[in-house]
Amino acid sequence: MRPDTDALVVIDIQNDFCPGGALAVPGGDEVVAPVNAMMEDFSTVVLSQDWHPAGHSSFASSHPGKTPFEMVEMPYGPQVLWPEHCIQGSEGAAFHPGLRTDPAQMIVRKGFRQGIDSYSAFFENDRTTATGLHGYLQDRGVTRLVLCGLATDFCVNFSAVDAMRLGYQTELVLKAARGIDLEGSLEAALEAMRAAGVTLT
Ligand code: VGL
Ligand code: ZN
């Protein structure tokens, strides 16, 4: 068992990010078994859940003439446009049915504001609007995070870099994470995490 100062943060293991889902990550469902096993070691387990309203501004379908995976400029900076995914209350937004959710004390939802996307479990894509997760972890006395989940190059990457910025000792367990890999985004994300001081194991 890990000390109470360690938390496991499980990013977005939802049906839409698994094979057959709207924004399937290759091998996304392969993380379920290792993540379930890791939960045994932690007294604090947090799950994040991508949770968009219908017509969300990160969907290509909300931008006439645009197609998924194109970039647009949002007031807060560049944004990839995605297929419609993780719509609040939909089957696609539900956790993978094999994922253990009982050990989690906290489920943090993100991306629920119409005009702003949120990759990180800590801050939305303007990098300043907080989700509340940092306050929760601080209140629980957590200083060290172990991250896993989907997708390595988007939500996991942004969460890990924010965690370092907030002062957590941060580890990413690669066997329990999978990436989307848009034009080299996976290698770039691994490099960004290394540069930020994230331990990749
Ligand atoms: C994610 C793209 C859009 C993720 C969420 O969980 O990595 N990626 N929304
Ligand atoms: Zn999303």
Side-chain angles (χ1 to χ4, degrees):
M1 196 72 189
R2 299 247 194 169
D4 287 347
T5 45
D6 290 12
L8 180 67
V9 179
V10 179
I11 303 293
D12 298 3
I13 305 186
Q14 295 166 257
N15 288 323
D16 272 342
F17 298 123
C18 291
L23 180 43
V25 179
D29 54 340
E30 294 165 13
V31 306
V32 170
V35 170
N36 283 345
M38 283 160 64
M39 288 182 187
E40 302 284 343
D41 297 334
F42 290 84
S43 53
T44 300
V45 175
V46 174
L47 309 179
S48 78
Q49 195 171 22
D50 210 37
W51 197 250
H52 300 307
H56 189 246
S57 58
S58 76
F59 299 163
S61 56
S62 304
H63 300 260
K66 298 288 184 190
T67 54
F69 311 110
E70 276 187 71
M71 300 287 303
V72 286
E73 203 57 40
M74 298 290 241
Y76 53 82
Q79 169 72 47
V80 181
L81 293 178
W82 302 106
E84 294 184 9
H85 65 279
C86 296
I87 293 176
Q88 296 171 2
S90 69
E91 196 49 37
F95 291 113
H96 184 285
L99 183 72
R100 295 175 65 200
T101 57
D102 290 354
Q105 296 85 15
M106 172 71 164
I107 296 175
V108 57
R109 288 175 168 168
K110 59 186 182 63
F112 51 76
R113 290 184 179 82
Q114 195 66 244
I116 182 166
D117 204 5
S118 185
Y119 293 151
S120 166
F122 292 100
F123 294 103
E124 304 197 3
N125 285 9
D126 61 1
R127 321 303 286 149
T128 53
T129 304
T131 62
L133 178 57
H134 181 43
Y136 174 79
L137 293 171
Q138 275 186 311
D139 281 352
R140 297 280 313 272
V142 171
T143 57
R144 190 154 60 170
L145 303 181
V146 176
L147 267 73
C148 56
L150 308 173
T152 310
D153 38 354
F154 290 93
C155 293
V156 174
N157 174 30
F158 279 66
S159 298
V161 170
D162 279 347
M164 288 301 305
R165 185 155 67 96
L166 292 167
Y168 297 95
Q169 203 182 314
T170 308
E171 175 186 337
L172 167 60
V173 179
L174 290 168
K175 72 164 193 299
R178 293 290 184 279
I180 299 174
D181 205 12
L182 295 180
E183 296 169 23
S185 60
L186 185 53
E187 198 42 56
L190 295 174
E191 195 41 52
M193 287 189 276
R194 274 189 210 104
V198 176
T199 305
L200 306 179
T201 57

